[in-house]
Amino acid sequence: LLVEFGGAKLAEIAYAILSHCWGAPEDEVQYTEMVSLTNMDALARNKIRRRSGYLKIRKSCELALKDHLDWLWVDTCCIDRRGSAELSEAINSMYVWYADSDRCYAFLHDTEASALPTDRDDKFTEFSGWPKWFSRGWTLQELVAPVNVHFLNQKWEYIGDKQGCTPSLSVITRISVDVLKEGLGRTSPSVAQIMSWAADRTTAREEDRAYSMLGLLGVHMPILYGEGKNAFLRLQLEVIRTANDQSIFAW
């Protein structure tokens, strides 16, 4: 069941949040389907339950219950993408939602590893050898923002957490250990540093290269899908307008 929280009520809620790579759109369970799930006939409901996206939601719920958390936020089914206003609000708020979560589950769908390799491990490889999760644009903020990130392999087995794996995570992401341990608020990296973390990451839509960095750079702006490269230009202009950080010109 979907329940809406906002404002002061949201601040009182302890919740988990899922970080993952989207599969094909037809495999994910989106907002309208989740809303109507309890009202549809058994045949249609069972078709949805067989999707890999439904399994992600269910497994995340099971983990949240084990961690004594009654609520879970998943981007696929908790954002109503039919309205541009709600989509814009969600994208502009997403960094804070991840930062305020009590537990973030990072689901690495393409690894069977029983543990994350360390920088002293013979299995440690270059960026290209790591799970796809580490190359996506949106997962950058989903790694930086939350304090507690638990990594799970394709069998949904716990294989490590952010605080315990910071040396290897720092090598693979180029994010300093201090930022991974203490967050952006206490370390205050420059704009150029933050942009360099995202340089090799990819997004399904060109505009998302900019939109996925809003929270990391501490700016807000309207979401306009269809603007292409102009999204990144608007992002840079907004940073220049709101931040006294000339390192953006180095970028």
Side-chain angles (χ1 to χ4, degrees):
L1 297 176
L2 291 178
V3 178
E4 184 173 348
F5 295 108
K9 183 65 175 177
L10 179 59
E12 299 171 357
I13 297 295
Y15 63 93
I17 199 165
L18 176 65
S19 175
H20 65 112
C21 297
W22 275 51
E26 62 269 18
D27 292 332
E28 301 294 348
V29 180
Q30 303 199 31
Y31 175 85
T32 53
E33 295 172 313
M34 185 61 71
V35 168
S36 59
L37 196 62
T38 57
N39 297 323
M40 63 180 61
D41 62 70
L43 181 61
R45 186 162 56 248
N46 287 335
K47 284 184 179 179
I48 290 178
R49 286 176 170 170
R50 286 194 291 268
R51 295 183 194 172
S52 58
Y54 184 85
L55 180 63
K56 283 191 285 189
I57 297 170
R58 177 171 176 170
K59 287 291 187 181
S60 300
C61 285
E62 292 173 357
L63 289 170
L65 287 175
K66 288 181 181 179
D67 290 330
H68 306 290
L69 297 169
D70 294 331
W71 302 100
L72 170 74
W73 189 86
V74 183
D75 57 352
T76 53
C77 65
C78 290
I79 301 175
D80 186 355
R81 290 172 172 77
R82 296 173 301 175
S84 58
E86 180 168 341
L87 179 61
S88 183
E89 178 186 0
I91 290 177
N92 277 279
S93 304
M94 208 171 293
Y95 183 90
V96 173
W97 291 346
Y98 275 90
D100 290 346
S101 66
D102 288 72
R103 182 67 49 82
C104 175
Y105 303 121
F107 176 52
L108 311 182
H109 70 281
D110 52 356
T111 183
E112 297 179 350
S114 57
L116 287 176
T118 68
D119 53 350
R120 297 175 296 278
D121 195 321
D122 292 339
K123 297 179 181 178
F124 188 85
T125 60
E126 295 297 327
F127 193 111
S128 59
W130 280 59
K132 182 181 178 181
W133 188 90
F134 289 96
S135 68
R136 302 298 291 166
W138 286 105
T139 55
L140 175 59
Q141 67 172 358
E142 294 162 14
L143 172 64
V144 173
V147 174
N148 296 311
V149 180
H150 281 199
F151 293 97
L152 308 153
N153 64 16
Q154 62 184 219
K155 297 180 180 178
W156 290 89
E157 297 168 335
Y158 172 81
I159 60 174
D161 62 61
K162 184 169 92 168
Q163 298 301 322
C165 299
T166 47
S168 54
L169 292 173
S170 179
V171 171
I172 200 65
T173 62
R174 301 192 301 273
I175 304 172
S176 71
V177 170
D178 289 344
V179 170
L180 290 171
K181 283 185 173 293
E182 300 178 22
L184 294 178
R186 294 185 179 181
T187 52
S188 301
S190 69
V191 170
Q193 283 179 298
I194 295 172
M195 287 189 168
S196 72
W197 303 339
D200 298 327
R201 291 175 177 257
T202 59
T203 57
R205 302 191 65 164
E206 186 174 23
E207 296 89 346
D208 285 336
R209 294 203 67 187
Y211 301 157
S212 62
M213 298 188 67
L214 293 178
L216 291 162
L217 295 170
V219 299
H220 299 85
M221 66 184 200
I223 306 303
L224 304 171
Y225 281 107
E227 65 177 330
K229 294 180 180 179
N230 284 337
F232 204 85
L233 175 60
R234 284 201 299 125
L235 174 67
Q236 291 174 296
L237 292 173
E238 192 63 21
V239 170
I240 292 170
R241 187 183 72 82
T242 59
N244 185 24
D245 185 339
Q246 296 190 13
S247 72
I248 191 172
F249 297 110
W251 172 259

